[in-house]
Amino acid sequence: MQRLDLPEPIAAYLVADQHDGRAVARCFTSNGRVLDERNAHSGAAAIEAWKDACSAKYTYVAHPRAVETLDRSYIVTSELSGNFQGSPVDLRYIFILERGKIASLETAP
């Protein structure tokens, strides 16, 4: 597999995503936002709760395949495999960074 040149906040998120909600929330700005499955989660507590709920419901691993930039966004395409219907799927993580942290993350098919 090729090694992607990911910005540090994104690389840190991908590592934290294999752990818990607290680790994931630390990757975001204080008013960071996640948009996942048409639901928005804003702020550290909401992001931590979102990740913990996802981890309780699903076991998954993301394998980043490509990264591109578009304006201020970094789009990371990953193969997501786990115990969910349709696994594996390609998922796009759309990140906006701010001051060395993630300001916004949107997931999209």
Side-chain angles (χ1 to χ4, degrees):
M1 182 170 86
Q2 72 180 17
R3 173 143 164 63
L4 299 177
D5 187 21
L6 297 171
E8 176 56 33
I10 296 172
Y13 169 83
L14 292 171
V15 170
D17 192 43
Q18 296 305 306
H19 297 284
D20 61 17
R22 181 170 285 169
V24 167
R26 282 193 298 259
C27 297
F28 286 81
T29 60
S30 60
N31 60 346
R33 180 174 178 265
V34 172
L35 181 60
D36 181 51
E37 296 181 338
R38 294 186 288 244
N39 294 304
H41 312 276
S42 297
I47 292 169
E48 182 176 341
W50 160 75
K51 169 56 181 163
D52 287 342
C54 287
S55 293
K57 189 173 181 180
Y58 305 112
T59 301
Y60 62 91
V61 176
H63 298 283
R65 302 281 190 222
V67 62
E68 62 181 294
T69 57
L70 180 64
D71 297 324
R72 294 182 48 223
S73 299
Y74 293 86
I75 303 164
V76 178
T77 302
S78 295
E79 179 183 271
L80 200 68
S81 58
N83 67 339
F84 55 89
Q85 185 175 1
S87 176
V89 297
D90 282 337
L91 187 67
R92 290 180 302 139
Y93 294 85
I94 304 162
F95 295 92
I96 296 176
L97 306 180
E98 185 177 285
R99 296 182 311 275
K101 297 246 181 187
I102 300 168
S104 174
L105 167 61
E106 179 179 349
T107 62

